[in-house]
Amino acid sequence: MSYYDFPGALECMGKWIVDERENRNILYVVQTGDAVDEGWVPKQWKHFDQLYDQFKDVLPYFPIAGNHDVGLKWHGYEPYLARSYVQAIPAEYAFDGGRALYATFSAGGTDFLLLGAGWESEEDATDWMNGVLQEHPNDVAILLFHGYIKKDGSFTKVGKLMYEQVVAPNPNVRLVLCGHISGTSYRYDEFDDTGDGVPDRGVNTMLYNYQHYGENCGQIRLLTFDPAQRNIRVMTYSPFKDRYYKDSYFDAAEFTLEDAF
């Protein structure tokens, strides 16, 4: 979308988020990478800012870098780390200038931890991420990676490492969000954290990566947390097209993850 700059689409997405903020109690905008097609081309960030500028003074934004953000033709984190919202991350909440980051917030009587590592930063930031998770043992942790699972639900190479080295050892991890691979996918894993042979925790993982196919764009995924039932209701909608989009795993535009946090 940032490459083609389809007229009005990105701005429409940002306006919908702001317009729906109170009605849907939207607290955060999160992004799992590839805000642009080529991070070393300034005009693509200018296109993306048509979306970002709508909510930047209204809602907090939690992004991680994708492989396109750090560049394909050219390569390096410099343009991404120069972004204003990355520069604004307090040093104590960032790893290596923003290649990984975390944030905390409370809602509905629950304390949440957002924790993410960008493209090719996952392994370098593993010890740092584990330290953050251990410092917030009572927070419900939501992890963001760019590449983590594939279309069939199996792990990418780095995803397998993150599963083994970050997700499995930390009982507060309950949800993993990722992108990179085109389309949607899902997997569910159970963990016996106490070693008694009985699962203590389930972790839902969702891949969400719609692309710009002509005019068929503008998809936003909304996660609605129910603090009473501990469920997460998932909906995918494009305000630009005014239509809902099915998740390929659940075969539905709306579905619920039960006992999810």
Side-chain angles (χ1 to χ4, degrees):
M1 293 178 68
S2 297
Y3 180 90
Y4 287 107
D5 188 27
F6 196 84
L10 287 161
E11 182 179 2
C12 180
M13 294 171 73
K15 285 184 175 179
W16 184 88
I17 292 170
V18 173
D19 290 345
E20 295 291 325
R21 178 192 177 195
E22 292 189 10
N23 182 46
R24 298 180 184 272
N25 193 27
I26 297 173
L27 301 179
Y28 245 100
V29 180
V30 304
Q31 216 266 355
T32 57
D34 289 351
V36 295
D37 182 69
E38 176 54 69
W40 290 77
V41 177
K43 72 175 182 179
Q44 293 189 20
W45 289 110
K46 185 177 180 181
H47 294 160
F48 173 74
D49 283 341
Q50 296 171 72
L51 188 163
Y52 173 66
D53 286 348
Q54 303 303 315
F55 65 77
K56 68 178 182 180
D57 297 323
V58 181
L59 285 163
Y61 179 49
F62 191 93
I64 60 170
N67 59 310
H68 287 266
D69 297 324
V70 300
L72 297 178
K73 185 176 180 180
W74 305 277
H75 189 71
Y77 259 85
E78 291 86 349
Y80 178 81
L81 297 181
R83 296 287 293 164
S84 62
Y85 46 76
V86 179
Q87 293 274 307
I89 302 168
E92 62 269 29
Y93 290 88
F95 170 83
D96 199 9
R99 290 172 57 201
L101 70 160
Y102 82 92
T104 59
F105 68 98
S106 298
T110 299
D111 295 326
F112 291 93
L113 168 69
L114 291 170
L115 176 64
W119 181 254
E120 295 180 342
S121 298
E122 304 93 342
E123 293 182 68
D124 291 343
T126 293
D127 289 344
W128 180 83
M129 287 189 287
N130 281 323
V132 171
L133 287 162
Q134 291 159 16
E135 290 169 5
H136 299 83
N138 299 316
D139 293 3
V140 173
I142 302 170
L143 304 190
L144 278 71
F145 299 114
H146 184 56
Y148 185 73
I149 62 171
K150 304 175 185 178
K151 193 72 178 287
D152 63 0
S154 64
F155 291 109
T156 64
K157 183 179 179 180
V158 72
K160 183 65 171 176
L161 288 174
M162 293 302 98
Y163 173 83
E164 294 172 346
Q165 298 178 13
V166 181
V167 177
N170 292 287
N172 46 343
V173 175
R174 297 300 308 276
L175 178 66
V176 183
L177 306 175
C178 63
H180 186 50
I181 296 169
S182 181
T184 58
S185 186
Y186 171 83
R187 71 174 288 134
Y188 178 78
D189 296 286
E190 290 185 331
F191 296 90
D192 174 14
D193 295 316
T194 58
D196 62 358
V198 179
D200 301 294
R201 149 179 73 117
V203 175
N204 291 284
T205 297
M206 289 189 289
L207 162 68
Y208 165 78
N209 181 21
Y210 285 93
Q211 297 285 345
H212 179 287
Y213 297 114
E215 296 183 24
N216 188 20
C217 61
Q219 294 91 344
I220 294 171
R221 174 158 281 195
L222 184 71
L223 309 184
T224 303
F225 290 70
D226 181 342
Q229 299 296 322
R230 313 296 286 187
N231 296 338
I232 302 174
R233 190 170 70 255
V234 183
M235 177 195 81
T236 304
Y237 173 71
S238 168
F240 179 67
K241 297 300 294 182
D242 189 24
R243 59 164 287 197
Y244 295 86
Y245 289 78
K246 283 187 177 182
D247 180 277
S248 60
Y249 182 90
F250 291 94
D251 193 31
E254 293 190 51
F255 56 91
T256 299
L257 306 177
E258 298 183 351
D259 189 27
F261 67 98

